[in-house]
Amino acid sequence: MSILQIGLLGKANVGKSTFFSAATQTPVASGNFPFTTIEPNVGVAYVKADCACKHFGIKHENDYCVSGTRLIPVKLIDVAGLVPGAHEGKGLGNQFLDDARQAEVLIHVVDIAGTTDIQGQPVPVGTHDPLEDVEFVQDEFDQWFADILKREWDKITREIDQKRAKLTDGIAKRFTGLGIKDFQVQEVLQKLGLMARNPKEWKDSDIQTFVKELRKNTKPMIIAANKADLCTDLSIIDKISDCVIPCSAETELLLRKASKSGIVNYSSGDTGFTIPDGKEIPPAQQKALDLVKSVFSKIQSTGIQKILNTAVFDSLKFIVVYPVEDETKLTNKDGVVLPDTKLLPLDSTAKDLASLIHADIAKGFLHAIDCKTKQRISGDQKLKNGDVIKIVSTLSRG
Ligand SMILES: Nc1nc2c(ncn2[C@@H]2O[C@H](COP(=O)(O)OP(=O)(O)OP(=O)(O)O)[C@@H](O)[C@H]2O)c(=O)[nH]1
Ligand SMILES: [Mg+2]
């Protein structure tokens, strides 16, 4: 695992690429018609957390620490849109699934204003039910998982009959391309009481239940209720049972551009913007900014930063750790204070951090130092969010 990957997916024409452009500040094609995106766009976005400098009460020069808020890079993947039947090749087929398969968490972008039909064609506001999209996208995913398993089911059964494989690894092998681990397959088998059931006795409904649970456990999905600026009745959000956050990708994109050209002071996640002192705003721009204000009063923030943070810190429950090489000065060997951040799954250990930094550092691991308490910690000790850690190893990287 290097940098955490987040996949943006959803029906065609819902605003995935606009979300991507806004979050990564990378201009990509967007347009009000389905299948604008064919090849995936890959870029870097940032989640935000309190920087560890706050704990130590220090000031440091770092492009990734803005007034004590730390920007932590994540990889964002914007894929082609999908339509019902994508897993059987409809629309652009399941290319989107292939492109998103390594993502650890998924942001499902939905047109909450109902301005696009099921095929992604523009329709008047409120004429399409977004709840239909929430369901069909999850269903496409589940069918894709189910197809992987059904295709191989006879083979899996034979392998187990001939004692060449156990149920867990027989199944897990088929999902390695999706970054799914043996223990995750085992957890789901256990949870559903399928561990002891011979694959010959599995019914189609067992496979369906199994893949749905596996998908939920391994690819957590959060719903970005996009085009909230156009939505006439946001209470529709309450009807979605999954984690859902209203947003307006277009507003975020506009604000980021305006901020870059010095028209406004705005940082992603803010609940408003200000105009720099003495700045003259032409009437056309003022009109656009008035619209932005109405979005803030409707949904507090544009939602983009909140969605990224929720995906990483709530859905995945990842923690931020700061590796350093000098435990007193909190620097790397070039003297940069709090130079780096790592995102790690909850319950990760000091040894896990070492592996993430470099295989050799993990190989020669002796112990670690918690720089906040100055205490020595062992390899199997669990790290906490915000920890600043020095790894002591007999080997250095490379
Ligand atoms: N009003 C409004 N329009 C938006 C918003 N986000 C995107 N749009 C518009 O929706 C249309 C589709 O946007 P894209 O970003 O191309 O959508 P996509 O999901 O990437 O589309 P495909 O690549 O074709 O699947 C464009 O006309 C955008 O300007 C939003 O938050 N509010
Ligand atoms: Mg697109």
Side-chain angles (χ1 to χ4, degrees):
M1 181 177 64
S2 49
I3 179 169
L4 177 74
Q5 300 194 33
I6 303 180
L8 277 173
L9 70 123
K11 190 178 74 175
N13 207 11
V14 292
K16 299 178 293 298
S17 297
T18 309
F19 188 120
F20 175 88
S21 288
T24 61
Q25 299 207 271
T26 312
V28 294
S30 70
N32 194 13
F33 41 83
F35 306 122
T36 308
T37 308
I38 296 174
E39 292 302 320
N41 298 305
V42 179
V44 175
Y46 297 91
V47 288
K48 292 186 173 180
D50 277 346
C51 182
C53 67
K54 279 192 171 172
H55 172 90
F56 294 96
I58 50 173
K59 286 214 155 30
H60 63 137
E61 287 286 315
N62 189 319
D63 288 348
Y64 297 99
C65 175
V66 183
S67 314
T69 297
R70 190 74 184 212
L71 306 185
I72 303 141
V74 291
K75 189 161 145 186
L76 199 60
I77 310 161
D78 162 40
V79 302
L82 66 152
V83 293
H87 75 281
E88 307 167 323
K90 299 246 171 74
L92 292 178
N94 56 19
Q95 181 61 33
F96 75 99
L97 294 161
D98 266 348
D99 295 330
R101 73 187 191 284
Q102 286 299 334
E104 277 123 315
V105 59
L106 301 166
I107 295 173
H108 174 187
V109 184
V110 171
D111 174 351
I112 203 70
T115 65
T116 38
D117 69 13
I118 200 89
Q119 303 293 335
Q121 297 292 349
V123 291
V125 174
T127 45
H128 179 75
D129 182 1
L131 300 179
E132 227 181 280
D133 302 349
V134 173
E135 267 181 35
F136 103 75
V137 168
Q138 291 179 353
D139 211 48
E140 282 302 320
F141 238 88
D142 293 343
Q143 289 318 315
W144 185 54
F145 269 51
D147 286 351
I148 292 176
L149 211 50
K150 284 185 192 165
R151 233 186 0 243
E152 298 274 310
W153 199 247
D154 287 345
K155 234 176 172 176
I156 296 173
T157 311
R158 243 178 301 145
E159 282 173 9
I160 292 166
D161 262 0
Q162 297 165 0
K163 305 220 177 326
R164 283 188 288 126
K166 294 226 167 64
L167 184 60
T168 304
D169 42 88
I171 293 177
K173 207 159 69 187
R174 272 73 194 184
F175 288 105
T176 44
L178 277 91
I180 295 174
K181 309 271 177 345
D182 280 27
F183 81 90
Q184 293 174 309
V185 170
Q186 184 162 352
E187 270 173 14
V188 176
L189 286 170
Q190 260 157 359
K191 184 174 172 194
L192 299 175
L194 289 167
M195 204 64 191
R197 174 112 40 105
N198 187 315
K200 273 190 210 153
E201 293 159 15
W202 282 43
K203 296 198 224 40
D204 194 56
S205 59
D206 291 323
I207 293 188
Q208 297 293 347
T209 317
F210 172 77
V211 290
K212 200 173 187 66
E213 198 62 28
L214 187 68
R215 191 259 304 158
K216 278 200 215 157
N217 280 23
T218 56
K219 303 282 171 189
M221 207 184 263
I222 136 169
I223 294 176
N226 194 36
K227 306 194 188 179
D229 53 302
L230 296 179
C231 186
T232 46
D233 183 10
L234 275 174
S235 68
I236 189 158
I237 283 177
D238 303 335
K239 295 192 187 139
I240 302 174
S241 54
D242 311 73
C243 172
V244 50
I245 295 169
C247 69
S248 174
E250 196 144 276
T251 308
E252 175 75 9
L253 188 59
L254 187 150
L255 281 168
R256 293 248 192 156
K257 282 184 185 158
S259 161
K260 210 168 181 182
S261 45
I263 298 166
V264 297
N265 300 315
Y266 171 76
S267 168
S268 191
D270 286 356
T271 51
F273 63 86
T274 55
I275 310 272
D277 284 345
K279 186 91 199 164
E280 290 281 334
I281 308 285
Q285 280 180 356
Q286 187 56 53
K287 210 171 152 200
L289 291 177
D290 288 342
L291 275 175
V292 170
K293 276 190 196 152
S294 70
V295 176
F296 280 121
S297 55
K298 197 169 177 182
I299 55 170
Q300 283 85 47
S301 75
T302 69
I304 302 304
Q305 191 62 51
K306 189 171 173 191
I307 289 166
L308 292 170
N309 278 17
T310 305
V312 173
F313 298 122
D314 297 338
S315 296
L316 279 178
K317 299 192 172 53
F318 270 39
I319 59 168
V320 188
V321 175
Y322 299 75
V324 295
E325 290 178 55
D326 183 315
E327 71 270 33
T328 318
K329 296 186 186 139
L330 311 177
T331 56
N332 61 9
K333 57 179 175 305
D334 299 325
V336 182
V337 178
L338 297 170
D340 198 12
T341 46
K342 296 283 177 210
L343 285 167
L344 290 159
L346 193 69
D347 292 340
S348 292
T349 62
K351 190 86 184 274
D352 293 332
L353 173 65
S355 307
L356 195 62
I357 298 169
H358 199 281
D360 284 345
I361 294 182
K363 208 163 141 198
F365 184 95
L366 293 172
H367 62 266
I369 295 168
D370 177 336
C371 302
K372 285 183 177 170
T373 62
K374 305 284 181 234
Q375 276 180 350
R376 203 181 249 229
I377 58 176
S378 63
D380 57 7
Q381 190 151 330
K382 286 179 187 166
L383 301 177
K384 297 181 300 302
N385 189 36
D387 274 354
V388 181
I389 303 288
K390 175 191 161 72
I391 306 278
V392 182
S393 174
T394 55
L395 297 171
S396 56
R397 68 182 80 191

